[in-house]
Short mmCIF file of all heavy atoms in Angstrom, two decimals:
data_model
loop_
_atom_site.label_atom_id
_atom_site.label_comp_id
_atom_site.label_asym_id
_atom_site.label_seq_id
_atom_site.Cartn_x
_atom_site.Cartn_y
_atom_site.Cartn_z
N MET A 23 -17.48 0.64 41.18
CA MET A 23 -17.68 -0.10 39.95
C MET A 23 -17.56 -1.58 40.28
O MET A 23 -16.65 -2.01 40.96
CB MET A 23 -16.62 0.32 38.94
CG MET A 23 -16.76 -0.39 37.62
SD MET A 23 -15.50 -0.01 36.37
CE MET A 23 -15.23 1.71 36.47
N SER A 24 -18.48 -2.36 39.77
CA SER A 24 -18.43 -3.80 40.04
C SER A 24 -17.37 -4.44 39.17
O SER A 24 -16.88 -3.85 38.21
CB SER A 24 -19.80 -4.43 39.74
OG SER A 24 -20.02 -4.45 38.35
N ASN A 25 -17.00 -5.66 39.55
CA ASN A 25 -16.01 -6.39 38.76
C ASN A 25 -16.49 -6.60 37.33
O ASN A 25 -15.71 -6.52 36.38
CB ASN A 25 -15.70 -7.73 39.41
CG ASN A 25 -14.71 -7.59 40.55
OD1 ASN A 25 -14.06 -6.56 40.68
ND2 ASN A 25 -14.59 -8.63 41.36
N GLN A 26 -17.78 -6.88 37.16
CA GLN A 26 -18.34 -7.12 35.82
C GLN A 26 -18.25 -5.85 34.97
O GLN A 26 -17.89 -5.91 33.81
CB GLN A 26 -19.79 -7.60 35.92
CG GLN A 26 -20.39 -8.00 34.58
CD GLN A 26 -19.62 -9.16 33.94
OE1 GLN A 26 -19.23 -10.12 34.61
NE2 GLN A 26 -19.40 -9.06 32.65
N ALA A 27 -18.54 -4.71 35.58
CA ALA A 27 -18.47 -3.45 34.84
C ALA A 27 -17.02 -3.16 34.44
O ALA A 27 -16.76 -2.69 33.34
CB ALA A 27 -19.03 -2.31 35.69
N GLY A 28 -16.09 -3.45 35.31
CA GLY A 28 -14.67 -3.26 35.01
C GLY A 28 -14.23 -4.16 33.87
O GLY A 28 -13.47 -3.74 32.99
N LYS A 29 -14.70 -5.41 33.88
CA LYS A 29 -14.36 -6.35 32.81
C LYS A 29 -14.94 -5.87 31.48
O LYS A 29 -14.28 -5.95 30.44
CB LYS A 29 -14.88 -7.75 33.14
CG LYS A 29 -14.09 -8.45 34.23
CD LYS A 29 -14.68 -9.82 34.53
CE LYS A 29 -13.98 -10.46 35.70
NZ LYS A 29 -14.59 -11.75 36.07
N ASN A 30 -16.19 -5.39 31.52
CA ASN A 30 -16.83 -4.91 30.30
C ASN A 30 -16.09 -3.70 29.75
O ASN A 30 -15.91 -3.56 28.54
CB ASN A 30 -18.29 -4.54 30.56
CG ASN A 30 -19.17 -5.77 30.74
OD1 ASN A 30 -18.78 -6.88 30.39
ND2 ASN A 30 -20.34 -5.57 31.30
N ASN A 31 -15.67 -2.81 30.64
CA ASN A 31 -14.92 -1.62 30.22
C ASN A 31 -13.61 -2.02 29.54
O ASN A 31 -13.26 -1.49 28.49
CB ASN A 31 -14.61 -0.75 31.44
CG ASN A 31 -15.24 0.61 31.35
OD1 ASN A 31 -15.92 0.92 30.40
ND2 ASN A 31 -15.00 1.42 32.36
N LYS A 32 -12.91 -2.96 30.16
CA LYS A 32 -11.63 -3.40 29.60
C LYS A 32 -11.85 -4.06 28.24
O LYS A 32 -11.10 -3.82 27.29
CB LYS A 32 -10.96 -4.39 30.57
CG LYS A 32 -9.59 -4.82 30.14
CD LYS A 32 -8.93 -5.70 31.17
CE LYS A 32 -7.55 -6.13 30.71
NZ LYS A 32 -6.88 -7.01 31.65
N GLN A 33 -12.89 -4.87 28.13
CA GLN A 33 -13.19 -5.56 26.88
C GLN A 33 -13.57 -4.54 25.80
O GLN A 33 -13.13 -4.65 24.66
CB GLN A 33 -14.32 -6.56 27.09
CG GLN A 33 -14.53 -7.49 25.92
CD GLN A 33 -15.52 -8.59 26.24
OE1 GLN A 33 -16.35 -8.45 27.14
NE2 GLN A 33 -15.45 -9.68 25.52
N ASN A 34 -14.35 -3.53 26.16
CA ASN A 34 -14.73 -2.49 25.20
C ASN A 34 -13.50 -1.72 24.73
O ASN A 34 -13.38 -1.40 23.55
CB ASN A 34 -15.75 -1.53 25.81
CG ASN A 34 -17.12 -2.15 25.95
OD1 ASN A 34 -17.43 -3.16 25.31
ND2 ASN A 34 -17.95 -1.57 26.79
N ASN A 35 -12.59 -1.41 25.66
CA ASN A 35 -11.38 -0.69 25.30
C ASN A 35 -10.51 -1.52 24.35
O ASN A 35 -9.93 -1.00 23.41
CB ASN A 35 -10.57 -0.31 26.54
CG ASN A 35 -11.22 0.81 27.33
OD1 ASN A 35 -12.06 1.53 26.82
ND2 ASN A 35 -10.85 0.94 28.59
N GLN A 36 -10.42 -2.82 24.61
CA GLN A 36 -9.64 -3.70 23.73
C GLN A 36 -10.28 -3.76 22.34
O GLN A 36 -9.57 -3.74 21.34
CB GLN A 36 -9.53 -5.10 24.34
CG GLN A 36 -8.57 -5.17 25.50
CD GLN A 36 -8.55 -6.55 26.15
OE1 GLN A 36 -9.52 -7.30 26.06
NE2 GLN A 36 -7.46 -6.87 26.80
N THR A 37 -11.61 -3.82 22.28
CA THR A 37 -12.30 -3.87 21.00
C THR A 37 -12.05 -2.58 20.21
O THR A 37 -11.77 -2.62 19.01
CB THR A 37 -13.81 -4.07 21.22
OG1 THR A 37 -14.01 -5.31 21.92
CG2 THR A 37 -14.55 -4.12 19.89
N VAL A 38 -12.11 -1.44 20.88
CA VAL A 38 -11.84 -0.16 20.22
C VAL A 38 -10.41 -0.13 19.71
O VAL A 38 -10.16 0.26 18.57
CB VAL A 38 -12.12 1.03 21.18
CG1 VAL A 38 -11.61 2.33 20.60
CG2 VAL A 38 -13.61 1.13 21.48
N SER A 39 -9.47 -0.57 20.53
CA SER A 39 -8.07 -0.60 20.13
C SER A 39 -7.86 -1.50 18.92
O SER A 39 -7.14 -1.14 17.98
CB SER A 39 -7.18 -1.07 21.28
OG SER A 39 -7.24 -0.17 22.35
N GLU A 40 -8.48 -2.66 18.94
CA GLU A 40 -8.35 -3.59 17.82
C GLU A 40 -8.96 -3.01 16.55
O GLU A 40 -8.39 -3.16 15.47
CB GLU A 40 -9.00 -4.93 18.17
CG GLU A 40 -8.21 -5.72 19.20
CD GLU A 40 -8.98 -6.92 19.73
OE1 GLU A 40 -10.09 -7.21 19.24
OE2 GLU A 40 -8.45 -7.57 20.65
N ASN A 41 -10.08 -2.33 16.68
CA ASN A 41 -10.72 -1.71 15.52
C ASN A 41 -9.84 -0.61 14.93
O ASN A 41 -9.74 -0.46 13.71
CB ASN A 41 -12.10 -1.16 15.88
CG ASN A 41 -13.13 -2.25 16.09
OD1 ASN A 41 -12.95 -3.38 15.65
ND2 ASN A 41 -14.21 -1.92 16.78
N ILE A 42 -9.21 0.17 15.80
CA ILE A 42 -8.31 1.22 15.33
C ILE A 42 -7.13 0.60 14.60
O ILE A 42 -6.75 1.04 13.51
CB ILE A 42 -7.84 2.10 16.50
CG1 ILE A 42 -9.00 2.93 17.03
CG2 ILE A 42 -6.68 3.00 16.09
CD1 ILE A 42 -8.73 3.64 18.34
N LYS A 43 -6.56 -0.45 15.18
CA LYS A 43 -5.41 -1.12 14.55
C LYS A 43 -5.82 -1.74 13.22
O LYS A 43 -5.08 -1.64 12.23
CB LYS A 43 -4.84 -2.19 15.48
CG LYS A 43 -4.04 -1.60 16.64
CD LYS A 43 -3.68 -2.62 17.70
CE LYS A 43 -2.85 -3.74 17.20
NZ LYS A 43 -2.43 -4.67 18.27
N ASP A 44 -6.98 -2.35 13.16
CA ASP A 44 -7.46 -2.95 11.92
C ASP A 44 -7.68 -1.88 10.85
O ASP A 44 -7.32 -2.07 9.69
CB ASP A 44 -8.77 -3.73 12.15
CG ASP A 44 -8.56 -5.01 12.93
OD1 ASP A 44 -7.40 -5.45 13.07
OD2 ASP A 44 -9.57 -5.56 13.41
N GLY A 45 -8.24 -0.76 11.26
CA GLY A 45 -8.47 0.34 10.32
C GLY A 45 -7.16 0.91 9.80
O GLY A 45 -7.02 1.18 8.60
N ALA A 46 -6.20 1.08 10.68
CA ALA A 46 -4.89 1.58 10.27
C ALA A 46 -4.21 0.59 9.34
O ALA A 46 -3.61 0.98 8.33
CB ALA A 46 -4.02 1.86 11.49
N GLY A 47 -4.31 -0.67 9.65
CA GLY A 47 -3.72 -1.70 8.81
C GLY A 47 -4.33 -1.70 7.41
O GLY A 47 -3.62 -1.80 6.41
N ALA A 48 -5.64 -1.56 7.34
CA ALA A 48 -6.31 -1.51 6.05
C ALA A 48 -5.89 -0.27 5.27
O ALA A 48 -5.67 -0.33 4.05
CB ALA A 48 -7.83 -1.53 6.24
N ALA A 49 -5.76 0.85 5.95
CA ALA A 49 -5.33 2.09 5.29
C ALA A 49 -3.92 1.95 4.75
O ALA A 49 -3.65 2.33 3.60
CB ALA A 49 -5.42 3.27 6.27
N PHE A 50 -3.01 1.41 5.54
CA PHE A 50 -1.64 1.22 5.07
C PHE A 50 -1.58 0.26 3.89
O PHE A 50 -0.81 0.45 2.95
CB PHE A 50 -0.73 0.74 6.20
CG PHE A 50 -0.37 1.80 7.19
CD1 PHE A 50 -0.59 1.61 8.54
CD2 PHE A 50 0.19 3.00 6.78
CE1 PHE A 50 -0.25 2.60 9.46
CE2 PHE A 50 0.52 4.00 7.68
CZ PHE A 50 0.30 3.79 9.03
N HIS A 51 -2.41 -0.78 3.94
CA HIS A 51 -2.44 -1.74 2.85
C HIS A 51 -2.90 -1.06 1.55
O HIS A 51 -2.31 -1.28 0.49
CB HIS A 51 -3.38 -2.90 3.21
CG HIS A 51 -3.43 -3.98 2.18
ND1 HIS A 51 -2.37 -4.83 1.93
CD2 HIS A 51 -4.41 -4.34 1.31
CE1 HIS A 51 -2.71 -5.66 0.97
NE2 HIS A 51 -3.93 -5.38 0.57
N SER A 52 -3.93 -0.24 1.66
CA SER A 52 -4.43 0.49 0.48
C SER A 52 -3.37 1.43 -0.07
O SER A 52 -3.18 1.52 -1.28
CB SER A 52 -5.69 1.28 0.83
OG SER A 52 -6.73 0.41 1.16
N ILE A 53 -2.69 2.14 0.82
CA ILE A 53 -1.63 3.06 0.39
C ILE A 53 -0.51 2.29 -0.29
O ILE A 53 0.00 2.70 -1.34
CB ILE A 53 -1.11 3.88 1.59
CG1 ILE A 53 -2.20 4.84 2.08
CG2 ILE A 53 0.16 4.63 1.24
CD1 ILE A 53 -1.92 5.46 3.43
N HIS A 54 -0.14 1.17 0.27
CA HIS A 54 0.92 0.35 -0.30
C HIS A 54 0.55 -0.13 -1.70
O HIS A 54 1.37 -0.07 -2.63
CB HIS A 54 1.21 -0.85 0.62
CG HIS A 54 2.37 -1.66 0.19
ND1 HIS A 54 2.23 -2.88 -0.41
CD2 HIS A 54 3.70 -1.43 0.26
CE1 HIS A 54 3.42 -3.38 -0.69
NE2 HIS A 54 4.33 -2.51 -0.30
N LYS A 55 -0.70 -0.58 -1.87
CA LYS A 55 -1.14 -1.02 -3.19
C LYS A 55 -1.12 0.14 -4.18
O LYS A 55 -0.74 -0.03 -5.35
CB LYS A 55 -2.55 -1.62 -3.11
CG LYS A 55 -2.58 -3.01 -2.51
CD LYS A 55 -3.97 -3.57 -2.47
CE LYS A 55 -4.35 -4.00 -3.86
NZ LYS A 55 -5.58 -4.81 -3.91
N GLY A 56 -1.50 1.33 -3.73
CA GLY A 56 -1.47 2.50 -4.59
C GLY A 56 -0.06 2.86 -5.01
O GLY A 56 0.19 3.20 -6.17
N LEU A 57 0.87 2.75 -4.07
CA LEU A 57 2.27 3.04 -4.39
C LEU A 57 2.83 2.02 -5.38
O LEU A 57 3.58 2.37 -6.29
CB LEU A 57 3.12 3.05 -3.12
CG LEU A 57 2.91 4.24 -2.20
CD1 LEU A 57 3.67 4.04 -0.89
CD2 LEU A 57 3.34 5.53 -2.87
N GLU A 58 2.45 0.76 -5.21
CA GLU A 58 2.91 -0.27 -6.15
C GLU A 58 2.37 0.00 -7.55
O GLU A 58 3.08 -0.16 -8.55
CB GLU A 58 2.48 -1.66 -5.68
CG GLU A 58 3.32 -2.21 -4.55
CD GLU A 58 2.91 -3.61 -4.15
OE1 GLU A 58 1.76 -4.02 -4.43
OE2 GLU A 58 3.74 -4.31 -3.55
N ALA A 59 1.10 0.41 -7.64
CA ALA A 59 0.51 0.71 -8.94
C ALA A 59 1.21 1.90 -9.58
O ALA A 59 1.49 1.89 -10.79
CB ALA A 59 -0.99 0.99 -8.78
N THR A 60 1.54 2.90 -8.78
CA THR A 60 2.26 4.07 -9.29
C THR A 60 3.64 3.69 -9.77
O THR A 60 4.10 4.12 -10.84
CB THR A 60 2.35 5.15 -8.19
OG1 THR A 60 1.02 5.50 -7.78
CG2 THR A 60 3.07 6.39 -8.68
N GLU A 61 4.31 2.86 -9.00
CA GLU A 61 5.65 2.40 -9.39
C GLU A 61 5.59 1.61 -10.69
O GLU A 61 6.43 1.82 -11.59
CB GLU A 61 6.24 1.53 -8.28
CG GLU A 61 7.63 0.99 -8.62
CD GLU A 61 8.17 0.02 -7.59
OE1 GLU A 61 7.43 -0.39 -6.68
OE2 GLU A 61 9.34 -0.35 -7.72
N ASN A 62 4.61 0.74 -10.83
CA ASN A 62 4.48 -0.05 -12.06
C ASN A 62 4.22 0.86 -13.26
O ASN A 62 4.81 0.66 -14.33
CB ASN A 62 3.36 -1.08 -11.93
CG ASN A 62 3.73 -2.22 -11.01
OD1 ASN A 62 4.91 -2.48 -10.78
ND2 ASN A 62 2.74 -2.91 -10.47
N ALA A 63 3.37 1.85 -13.09
CA ALA A 63 3.08 2.77 -14.19
C ALA A 63 4.33 3.56 -14.57
O ALA A 63 4.62 3.75 -15.76
CB ALA A 63 1.94 3.72 -13.80
N ALA A 64 5.07 4.01 -13.57
CA ALA A 64 6.29 4.77 -13.83
C ALA A 64 7.32 3.91 -14.54
O ALA A 64 7.97 4.37 -15.50
CB ALA A 64 6.86 5.32 -12.52
N MET A 65 7.47 2.68 -14.12
CA MET A 65 8.45 1.80 -14.75
C MET A 65 8.03 1.45 -16.18
O MET A 65 8.88 1.34 -17.08
CB MET A 65 8.67 0.53 -13.92
CG MET A 65 9.37 0.80 -12.60
SD MET A 65 10.88 1.78 -12.75
CE MET A 65 11.92 0.70 -13.69
N ASN A 66 6.75 1.32 -16.42
CA ASN A 66 6.27 1.08 -17.78
C ASN A 66 6.59 2.28 -18.67
O ASN A 66 6.98 2.11 -19.83
CB ASN A 66 4.77 0.78 -17.80
CG ASN A 66 4.46 -0.60 -17.27
OD1 ASN A 66 5.30 -1.48 -17.28
ND2 ASN A 66 3.23 -0.78 -16.79
N ALA A 67 6.44 3.48 -18.13
CA ALA A 67 6.77 4.69 -18.89
C ALA A 67 8.27 4.74 -19.18
O ALA A 67 8.68 5.11 -20.29
CB ALA A 67 6.33 5.93 -18.12
N VAL A 68 9.08 4.37 -18.21
CA VAL A 68 10.54 4.34 -18.42
C VAL A 68 10.89 3.32 -19.49
O VAL A 68 11.70 3.61 -20.39
CB VAL A 68 11.27 4.03 -17.09
CG1 VAL A 68 12.75 3.72 -17.34
CG2 VAL A 68 11.12 5.19 -16.11
N ASP A 69 10.29 2.15 -19.42
CA ASP A 69 10.56 1.12 -20.43
C ASP A 69 10.15 1.60 -21.82
O ASP A 69 10.88 1.39 -22.80
CB ASP A 69 9.82 -0.18 -20.09
CG ASP A 69 10.41 -0.90 -18.89
OD1 ASP A 69 11.59 -0.63 -18.54
OD2 ASP A 69 9.70 -1.74 -18.31
N ALA A 70 8.99 2.23 -21.92
CA ALA A 70 8.52 2.71 -23.22
C ALA A 70 9.46 3.78 -23.76
O ALA A 70 9.76 3.80 -24.97
CB ALA A 70 7.10 3.27 -23.08
N THR A 71 9.93 4.66 -22.89
CA THR A 71 10.87 5.71 -23.31
C THR A 71 12.18 5.09 -23.77
O THR A 71 12.74 5.47 -24.81
CB THR A 71 11.12 6.71 -22.17
OG1 THR A 71 9.86 7.27 -21.78
CG2 THR A 71 12.06 7.81 -22.58
N ALA A 72 12.68 4.13 -23.02
CA ALA A 72 13.93 3.46 -23.39
C ALA A 72 13.78 2.75 -24.74
O ALA A 72 14.68 2.82 -25.59
CB ALA A 72 14.34 2.46 -22.31
N ASN A 73 12.66 2.10 -24.96
CA ASN A 73 12.42 1.42 -26.24
C ASN A 73 12.36 2.43 -27.38
O ASN A 73 12.89 2.19 -28.46
CB ASN A 73 11.13 0.60 -26.19
CG ASN A 73 11.27 -0.63 -25.32
OD1 ASN A 73 12.37 -1.12 -25.08
ND2 ASN A 73 10.15 -1.13 -24.83
N ALA A 74 11.71 3.56 -27.15
CA ALA A 74 11.61 4.58 -28.19
C ALA A 74 12.98 5.14 -28.52
O ALA A 74 13.32 5.33 -29.70
CB ALA A 74 10.68 5.70 -27.73
N VAL A 75 13.80 5.39 -27.51
CA VAL A 75 15.16 5.89 -27.74
C VAL A 75 15.98 4.86 -28.50
O VAL A 75 16.69 5.20 -29.46
CB VAL A 75 15.83 6.28 -26.40
CG1 VAL A 75 17.31 6.55 -26.59
CG2 VAL A 75 15.13 7.50 -25.79
N ASN A 76 15.87 3.61 -28.11
CA ASN A 76 16.60 2.54 -28.81
C ASN A 76 16.17 2.45 -30.27
O ASN A 76 17.01 2.30 -31.15
CB ASN A 76 16.40 1.19 -28.11
CG ASN A 76 17.22 1.07 -26.87
OD1 ASN A 76 18.24 1.73 -26.70
ND2 ASN A 76 16.76 0.22 -25.95
N ASN A 77 14.87 2.55 -30.50
CA ASN A 77 14.38 2.49 -31.88
C ASN A 77 14.90 3.66 -32.70
O ASN A 77 15.29 3.49 -33.85
CB ASN A 77 12.85 2.46 -31.90
CG ASN A 77 12.30 1.13 -31.43
OD1 ASN A 77 12.99 0.11 -31.48
ND2 ASN A 77 11.07 1.14 -30.96
N LEU A 78 14.92 4.83 -32.12
CA LEU A 78 15.42 6.01 -32.84
C LEU A 78 16.89 5.88 -33.15
O LEU A 78 17.33 6.16 -34.26
CB LEU A 78 15.17 7.28 -32.01
CG LEU A 78 13.75 7.85 -32.04
CD1 LEU A 78 13.64 9.01 -31.05
CD2 LEU A 78 13.38 8.31 -33.44
N THR A 79 17.66 5.49 -32.16
CA THR A 79 19.11 5.40 -32.37
C THR A 79 19.47 4.26 -33.30
O THR A 79 20.37 4.39 -34.11
CB THR A 79 19.86 5.25 -31.03
OG1 THR A 79 19.36 4.12 -30.33
CG2 THR A 79 19.72 6.49 -30.17
N ASN A 80 18.74 3.17 -33.24
CA ASN A 80 19.00 2.05 -34.15
C ASN A 80 18.63 2.40 -35.59
O ASN A 80 19.30 2.01 -36.53
CB ASN A 80 18.27 0.78 -33.71
CG ASN A 80 18.88 0.18 -32.46
OD1 ASN A 80 20.05 0.39 -32.19
ND2 ASN A 80 18.09 -0.59 -31.73
N ASN A 81 17.55 3.17 -35.76
CA ASN A 81 17.13 3.56 -37.10
C ASN A 81 18.13 4.53 -37.72
O ASN A 81 18.34 4.53 -38.93
CB ASN A 81 15.74 4.20 -37.07
CG ASN A 81 14.65 3.17 -36.84
OD1 ASN A 81 14.86 1.98 -37.12
ND2 ASN A 81 13.52 3.60 -36.33
N LYS A 82 18.74 5.37 -36.93
CA LYS A 82 19.71 6.35 -37.46
C LYS A 82 21.02 5.69 -37.86
O LYS A 82 21.75 6.21 -38.67
CB LYS A 82 19.95 7.46 -36.45
CG LYS A 82 18.77 8.38 -36.29
CD LYS A 82 19.09 9.57 -35.44
CE LYS A 82 17.88 10.50 -35.42
NZ LYS A 82 18.15 11.74 -34.74
N LYS A 83 21.35 4.54 -37.26
CA LYS A 83 22.59 3.86 -37.58
C LYS A 83 22.55 3.20 -38.95
O LYS A 83 23.56 2.93 -39.54
CB LYS A 83 22.91 2.79 -36.51
CG LYS A 83 23.31 3.37 -35.19
CD LYS A 83 23.59 2.25 -34.20
CE LYS A 83 23.92 2.81 -32.82
NZ LYS A 83 24.11 1.75 -31.83
N ARG A 84 21.37 2.94 -39.45
CA ARG A 84 21.22 2.20 -40.71
C ARG A 84 21.43 3.08 -41.89
O ARG A 84 21.38 4.12 -42.16
CB ARG A 84 19.84 1.57 -40.79
CG ARG A 84 19.68 0.49 -39.76
CD ARG A 84 18.30 -0.11 -39.81
NE ARG A 84 18.17 -1.04 -38.69
CZ ARG A 84 17.07 -1.64 -38.40
NH1 ARG A 84 16.00 -1.45 -39.11
NH2 ARG A 84 17.01 -2.46 -37.39
#
């Protein structure tokens, strides 16, 4: 194998590795955003439930 072929091979391997890392990074970012959206929805549901309970208990005290 010539030196040029060896350099090209190494460069191709680095490009493949970088593409894999970039793809994994994008996937993790998407998953993280999805988890944040799920957490926000869950917390909104908890807040709504807490408000409903407060409204019920406050109305019964009157």
Side-chain angles (χ1 to χ4, degrees):
M23 181 183 319
S24 72
N25 279 345
Q26 186 61 42
K29 286 179 186 177
N30 287 343
N31 242 1
K32 185 176 180 182
Q33 190 172 23
N34 287 342
N35 288 341
Q36 286 176 335
T37 300
V38 169
S39 296
E40 288 170 5
N41 287 341
I42 291 169
K43 286 170 60 176
D44 289 345
F50 285 127
H51 183 70
S52 294
I53 292 167
H54 186 255
K55 284 182 75 168
L57 289 172
E58 283 182 339
T60 302
E61 179 186 9
N62 288 338
M65 291 309 296
N66 287 337
V68 169
D69 289 340
T71 302
N73 289 337
V75 169
N76 284 336
N77 288 337
L78 281 174
T79 56
N80 288 335
N81 287 337
K82 289 188 176 186
K83 289 179 184 177
R84 293 178 186 174

